[in-house]
Amino acid sequence: QVGDGTYVDWNRPVTAGGLAGGLRSLALGSSHTCAVTSGGVQCWGYNGSAQLGNGDQYGDHFSPVQVSGLEGHVNTAVAGQSHTCALTDEGAVLCWGDNRQGQLGDGTLEDRLSPVPVNGLERSVMAIAAGWNHTCAATDSAVFCWGENAKGQLGDGTTENRTSPVMVSGIGGGVISLEASEDLSCALLND
């Protein structure tokens, strides 16, 4: 997951090699890393659930590989335990990797080797966050979450897993940012 082309553990910073285009941001999963560049998204590290998004389910990569179908126009990326999502410049959310808890939001429980659109979130998303096995997105008027919900991390008043986005109760617009951890989701509001 260091991306320097080796299996070597380092106790000092090393450069991840082969990143194409200007670096915009990073996303850190459990055992994989992704970078948003001016050319799209590149990922590296463990790929046991296709979380690298390059169409190769079981091939780990020690250096960055291009995520299929996301060349350019990506605003940000987030990573969970074994899944990854990207927010495009147009406000659409696409996800890939492990989907056993519905964390990709495409209405299925099938792992995806490359990005698929999240149901109902084709435009107008302003922020995204990934927990261990769930994902959330904020629009100008609501927050939506999907995936694992055993501890109520989707905020819909239930503990049922969801394979498509559900609206978080009690939050309308005014979201500045979202964060998620293993079993928790939080939103920072403009007030």
Side-chain angles (χ1 to χ4, degrees):
Q1 57 266 46
V2 174
D4 68 334
T6 74
Y7 256 131
V8 176
D9 291 340
W10 294 97
N11 60 6
R12 61 179 173 78
V14 295
T15 302
L19 288 173
L23 184 62
R24 294 182 180 174
S25 64
L26 295 172
L28 307 176
S30 173
S31 298
H32 74 292
T33 307
C34 295
V36 176
T37 69
S38 57
V41 179
Q42 293 179 274
C43 297
W44 59 94
Y46 182 66
N47 197 35
S49 297
Q51 59 265 51
L52 302 187
N54 68 324
D56 180 8
Q57 185 165 9
Y58 300 112
D60 299 343
H61 289 274
F62 310 118
S63 298
V65 293
Q66 185 73 36
V67 174
S68 302
L70 284 183
E71 291 77 19
H73 309 297
V74 174
N75 181 287
T76 190
V78 294
Q81 180 181 20
S82 299
H83 78 290
T84 313
C85 296
L87 173 61
T88 68
D89 290 342
E90 293 80 26
V93 181
L94 297 101
C95 298
W96 59 94
D98 183 16
N99 198 26
R100 288 174 288 173
Q101 308 295 328
Q103 60 266 49
L104 303 187
D106 67 344
T108 76
L109 295 174
E110 297 176 30
D111 293 354
R112 300 297 183 171
L113 304 181
S114 57
V116 294
V118 174
N119 286 347
L121 295 179
E122 289 79 20
R123 298 207 178 280
S124 76
V125 173
M126 303 179 324
I128 56 175
W132 215 236
N133 292 309
H134 74 287
T135 313
C136 295
T139 68
D140 61 353
S141 60
V143 176
F144 299 89
C145 294
W146 57 94
E148 184 178 12
N149 198 26
K151 306 241 173 112
Q153 58 265 49
L154 302 188
D156 67 342
T158 76
T159 54
E160 296 176 31
N161 292 359
R162 305 293 186 170
T163 60
S164 292
V166 292
M167 189 179 299
V168 174
S169 301
I171 299 179
V175 174
I176 294 173
S177 68
L178 290 176
E179 291 294 334
S181 64
E182 183 174 352
D183 295 322
L184 173 72
S185 307
C186 293
L188 175 63
L189 307 181
N190 60 11
D191 62 357

